Amino acid sequence: SLTSRQFVYYLLGGLKKEIEDKAYGGAQPNISPKLIETLQIGLPPLPEQQRIVAKLDDLFGHLEQVKNRLELIPGLLKNFRQAILTQAVTGKLTEEWREGKELGEWKGKRIDEVAILVSGFDFKSKDFTSNGIQLIRMGNLYNNKLSLDRNPVFLPNSIDPKLKEKYLVNKGDILLSLTGTKYKRDYGFAIEINKDEELLLNQRILGLTPNINSKFLLYLLRGNDFRDAFFEFETGGVNQGNVGVRNVASIIQQIPPKEEQTEIVSSVEGLFSKADAIEAKYNTLKAQIDNLPQAILAKAFKGELVAQLPTDGNAKDLLEEIQKMKAELAPKKKKMKKQIKLAKG
C-alpha cells in the first residue's frame, strides 16, 4: 500500500476547513464527492507517513490528557464557591477574625425579619409590548444569574402607576425564583439587582428588600442550609415544583452582627475573585485547546510538528491553584479561644 489508513484519516481532518469551505446549501450543507476529488494534497512516502502518524498519535494522546484535566476544573470551582458560602453563613470563615472582639452572638431570624418581601404580579401576556418597561420572568433568573436578554418582554410605560410602584424592583433588591421542575432543585435561584434600571416583577418571583447587608443575605439565600430548608416546602404536581412565599418568609437562618456581616462579605468577595481569575484562565486555555487539533494537523502536513503542546502543564497548574485555595479555605485544626454559639431558636 502506498498510503497509511491512519495517515489518510488525519489528512482528512486537516482538510476539514477546506472541505467545509466548498460545501453548498443552506441549513444542511452538502459536499460533492467530485469537489473532494479535486483537492490537491501532498503525499509523502509511506515511511514518512508512518512517522507523521506516530507523532500525531503521541500529540493527540497528550492533548486528551490535558482535556481530561481541564474538564475537572468547572466542577471543582463550583464546589469551591459553594464551600465558601457554607463557611461564610455558618461563621467558619470569620472564626479567627472574631477573636478578641466584643461582638454580639449570631441570632436565628425569619427571612421576613431581615427583608421586606413582595411577591410578583400576574401580568397578562396580552399587555406585553416590544419596548417599554422590561418584565423579569422565571426564564430571566437561572443558575443565580440575571439574563435580561433571554426572551425579553415589556409592558407599556403607561402601566397603572399603582402597579408600577408596588412591583418595580430597585437597586440592591434580591430576587428569588419560586417555581421549577419538581425534585430537580432547578429554581430557588437568588440574584441581586445591581444597576438602576426600570424592571417589573412577574408572578412566581419573590422580591426581597434587605434590612441587613444585602450581599450577606444574597450569600445566605445561595447557601446549602437555606436551599435545603427551601426545598422542604416544595409542593406541586408530577413535573412542576413550587415553594410558597409564606414558606420562604418562615425559614429561620442564623444572622451575625452587622460588623461581621460586612467582614464576611469582604472575605467571600476576595475568595470569589480568586476563583473568577482561575475561571478566566480556564476559559482562555479551553479556547486554545479547542483550536489545537486543527493547528497540529496543519503543522503535520507542512512538516512543522512541534515537540510539545503549547498548553503543556497549564491545566495541571490550574488544578494546583484550586487545590491550594481549598487548603487555605479549610478550617484550621486548633482550639479556638472563642467559638460562635449558633442559636437554634
Side-chain angles (χ1 to χ4, degrees):
S1 174
L2 297 177
T3 59
S4 160
R5 294 182 65 180
Q6 189 67 8
F7 178 83
V8 173
Y9 170 78
Y10 281 134
L11 180 62
L12 290 175
L15 294 171
K16 180 182 177 182
K17 187 178 185 308
E18 189 173 350
I19 293 173
E20 288 176 346
D21 289 343
K22 294 181 179 293
Y24 60 91
Q28 189 174 354
N30 297 286
I31 303 293
S32 166
K34 289 185 178 180
L35 286 176
I36 295 178
E37 290 174 3
T38 62
L39 292 175
Q40 297 292 319
I41 58 174
L43 192 64
L46 184 60
E48 188 173 348
Q49 293 177 33
Q50 292 169 340
R51 289 197 300 273
I52 291 173
V53 166
K55 188 66 175 179
L56 288 172
D57 284 344
D58 180 61
L59 285 173
F60 280 116
H62 185 55
L63 179 60
E64 193 63 30
Q65 293 176 9
V66 175
K67 283 184 175 180
N68 290 339
R69 285 176 176 169
L70 208 59
E71 287 172 0
L72 298 174
I73 292 172
L76 289 172
L77 285 173
K78 181 180 178 181
N79 293 338
F80 175 69
R81 289 186 176 107
Q82 198 60 48
I84 292 172
L85 292 179
T86 297
Q87 293 207 14
V89 300
T90 57
K92 295 290 186 181
L93 206 57
T94 44
E95 276 184 342
E96 293 186 23
W97 176 86
R98 285 180 64 90
E99 290 186 8
K101 293 181 175 63
E102 296 296 327
L103 297 170
E105 302 295 341
W106 289 48
K107 296 180 180 179
K109 293 186 178 182
R110 289 166 51 106
I111 295 298
D112 61 3
E113 292 182 85
V114 297
I116 298 171
L117 276 54
V118 175
S119 182
F121 184 70
D122 181 16
F123 291 99
K124 304 303 179 185
S125 58
K126 65 181 179 64
D127 297 325
F128 293 170
T129 59
S130 58
N131 54 60
I133 305 174
Q134 185 166 355
L135 181 64
I136 300 178
R137 301 189 295 171
M138 291 290 300
N140 301 125
L141 272 70
Y142 188 73
N143 207 22
N144 291 330
K145 292 181 181 179
L146 179 62
S147 302
L148 293 177
D149 57 351
R150 191 176 181 186
N151 299 320
V153 299
F154 302 84
L155 288 159
N157 291 311
S158 58
I159 182 177
D160 184 338
K162 291 183 179 179
L163 283 179
K164 182 176 178 180
E165 181 181 1
K166 183 172 182 180
Y167 297 107
L168 197 67
V169 299
N170 299 301
K171 186 176 181 179
D173 284 353
I174 294 172
L175 307 185
L176 185 72
S177 54
L178 300 177
T179 297
T181 309
K182 198 169 184 181
Y183 305 128
K184 288 194 175 181
R185 294 171 70 115
D186 60 356
Y187 62 107
F189 296 125
I191 65 98
E192 183 183 24
I193 300 297
N194 55 19
K195 56 184 177 181
D196 292 311
E197 184 175 342
E198 285 196 325
L199 299 166
L200 289 166
L201 200 60
N202 200 29
Q203 64 177 338
R204 305 307 302 153
I205 298 176
L206 178 62
L208 300 95
T209 301
N211 55 44
I212 61 172
N213 188 300
S214 62
K215 287 287 187 185
F216 177 80
L217 180 58
L218 178 68
Y219 298 148
L220 190 76
L221 297 177
R222 290 179 175 178
N224 285 331
D225 186 57
F226 173 82
R227 285 182 61 79
D228 289 343
F230 177 89
F231 285 106
E232 283 182 8
F233 291 111
E234 185 175 51
T235 60
V238 177
N239 295 318
Q240 182 171 299
N242 305 287
V243 175
V245 175
R246 290 183 180 179
N247 299 134
V248 175
S250 71
I251 296 175
I252 295 174
Q253 294 285 279
Q254 301 298 323
I255 309 298
K258 183 178 179 181
E259 299 91 334
E260 191 163 359
Q261 293 175 34
T262 302
E263 178 62 23
I264 286 171
V265 168
S266 176
S267 297
V268 169
E269 288 181 342
L271 289 165
F272 274 10
S273 67
K274 292 181 180 180
D276 291 344
I278 290 178
E279 188 169 33
K281 292 179 183 178
Y282 159 79
N283 289 328
T284 300
L285 183 57
K286 186 177 184 303
Q288 293 174 348
I289 294 272
D290 289 342
N291 291 326
L292 267 179
Q294 286 302 117
I296 291 172
L297 289 173
K299 284 182 175 294
F301 299 113
K302 291 179 182 178
E304 301 172 356
L305 278 183
V306 295
Q308 61 179 15
L309 298 177
T311 54
D312 191 27
N314 289 359
K316 182 180 178 182
D317 293 342
L318 289 183
L319 288 171
E320 288 176 352
E321 283 189 57
I322 296 173
Q323 295 300 332
K324 183 179 178 181
M325 288 168 61
K326 287 173 69 177
E328 291 174 357
L329 183 63
K332 294 183 178 180
K333 296 180 180 180
K334 72 174 186 176
K335 188 174 181 180
M336 307 304 299
K337 296 178 182 178
K338 211 172 185 182
Q339 294 185 352
I340 298 173
K341 297 178 180 178
L342 299 178
K344 298 295 182 182

